[in-house]
Amino acid sequence: MNSHVMQSFSLTGKTVLLTGGAGLYGTQIAIACAQAGGSVYVTSRDESRLEAIEEKFRQEGCTVHAIQFDQENLSSIAAIRDKLEEREGKCDVLINNAVARTMSHYNDSLESFARSMAVNATGLFEITRVIGDWMAEKGSGSIINIGSIQGMVGPDPTLYEGLPLNGLVPDYFFHKGGMVNFTRFIASYYGARQIRCNCISPGGFQTEKNLPEFVHRYNDRTMLGRMAKSDDIWGPIVFLASDASQYVTGTNLPVDGGYTAK
């Protein structure tokens, strides 16, 4: 063996680009990659928030860089490579986490659905192509798509009965389902150039905002009897971003406490 197995999990020397790094899972993904030694860049649509985002991560004990990026704006997507080229000269890991929640119910407007397509389909494809082609020039890279259990199974209306919640939002299921097979396509397209592409499909995230009755119902539907904790995504992310998974591509990994297996 050339190295200790634990060294293969290190992201030291790797540049990581994480879209949508300010949300619940995005924050945890950035923390995990930074703790693993990566030079991590998270994105925000609002340039005025960049300094505050970096400060938030400093308070978490992590050095994370924030750069402006709007997945709905094609010129912004084209510019992201130039920004990273100037700062790092490469991108080793792309984590597609940005998502627009434009619809609130099934009978929402077609304009809301079309905007969702612009960000979650067209924008996702373009950022993957821009960075994927750049990785192809270098001859290596890892692309990780952040999916959802809602891209694997249909909605369960009984989770929401009698509660002021609505989980039957069509565009989210549409895009997260498509992301799983898009992962397989990208893995195939770039595979010969040693670029891997995998998907992580997380389950529900426990927060203080969750209604107790919803949490109780959701917990009953998992094998582990609980929603995800903040650090449950750390290990899977670092595994797929690092050389520890160098022979893993085209997969979808549910991180859901057994929700989709029950």
Side-chain angles (χ1 to χ4, degrees):
M1 295 179 64
N2 295 325
S3 62
H4 191 281
V5 64
M6 294 306 295
Q7 294 176 358
S8 68
F9 287 89
S10 173
L11 297 182
T12 299
K14 293 186 183 294
T15 301
V16 180
L17 174 62
L18 166 64
T19 65
L24 291 174
Y25 272 123
T27 297
Q28 297 305 318
I29 291 168
I31 290 172
C33 290
Q35 288 186 358
S39 180
V40 181
Y41 288 79
V42 300
T43 68
S44 172
R45 296 179 63 180
D46 186 355
E47 194 162 9
S48 67
R49 295 186 61 224
L50 300 183
E51 187 173 333
I53 290 171
E54 291 182 350
E55 175 59 27
K56 179 188 70 173
F57 284 107
R58 280 194 291 270
Q59 293 175 1
E60 295 282 352
C62 300
T63 298
V64 172
H65 313 286
I67 55 177
Q68 194 278 331
F69 170 75
D70 181 357
Q71 195 159 290
E72 191 174 6
N73 185 326
L74 295 182
S75 62
S76 176
I77 297 174
I80 197 77
R81 171 178 172 169
D82 295 336
K83 293 179 182 179
L84 278 182
E85 180 82 73
E86 180 181 350
R87 296 195 188 191
E88 299 284 345
K90 62 174 183 169
C91 180
D92 301 290
V93 181
L94 168 65
I95 304 175
N96 282 317
N97 177 64
V99 62
R101 298 289 194 109
T102 62
M103 299 188 76
S104 59
H105 53 85
Y106 183 74
N107 288 315
D108 211 335
S109 68
L110 285 178
E111 288 78 11
S112 294
F113 188 85
R115 183 167 176 236
S116 179
M117 285 289 289
V119 179
N120 303 325
T122 305
L124 170 73
F125 170 63
E126 181 63 358
I127 183 61
T128 304
R129 180 166 62 177
V130 166
I131 300 300
D133 285 351
W134 189 21
M135 288 177 171
E137 295 173 11
K138 308 286 185 180
S140 66
S142 175
I143 299 171
I144 305 171
N145 293 325
I146 305 302
S148 168
I149 58 171
Q150 293 180 330
M152 298 177 62
V153 295
D156 182 354
T158 64
L159 282 172
Y160 311 99
E161 285 180 355
L163 300 177
L165 301 172
N166 175 28
L168 280 69
V169 184
D171 63 322
Y172 195 76
F173 283 82
F174 183 95
H175 296 304
K176 292 304 183 181
M179 182 175 274
V180 174
N181 213 39
F182 179 62
T183 295
R184 300 185 184 109
F185 174 86
I186 293 298
S188 177
Y189 184 83
Y190 287 118
R193 285 164 283 186
Q194 303 307 302
I195 298 166
R196 300 177 291 109
C197 184
N198 294 285
C199 184
I200 290 178
S201 290
F205 195 120
Q206 175 73 67
T207 73
E208 295 179 355
K209 295 180 180 180
N210 290 334
L211 296 176
E213 178 58 28
F214 175 81
V215 173
H216 174 73
R217 295 177 188 179
Y218 188 95
N219 290 350
D220 281 347
R221 287 160 175 76
T222 70
M223 291 181 177
L224 298 182
R226 64 174 178 84
M227 300 184 79
K229 297 182 296 184
S230 61
D231 58 358
D232 280 328
I233 202 169
W234 288 7
I237 279 289
V238 171
F239 169 64
L240 291 178
S242 70
D243 293 341
S245 60
Q246 61 185 344
Y247 200 55
V248 178
T249 195
T251 66
N252 177 45
L253 175 62
V255 182
D256 64 356
Y259 185 103
T260 56
K262 190 172 181 179

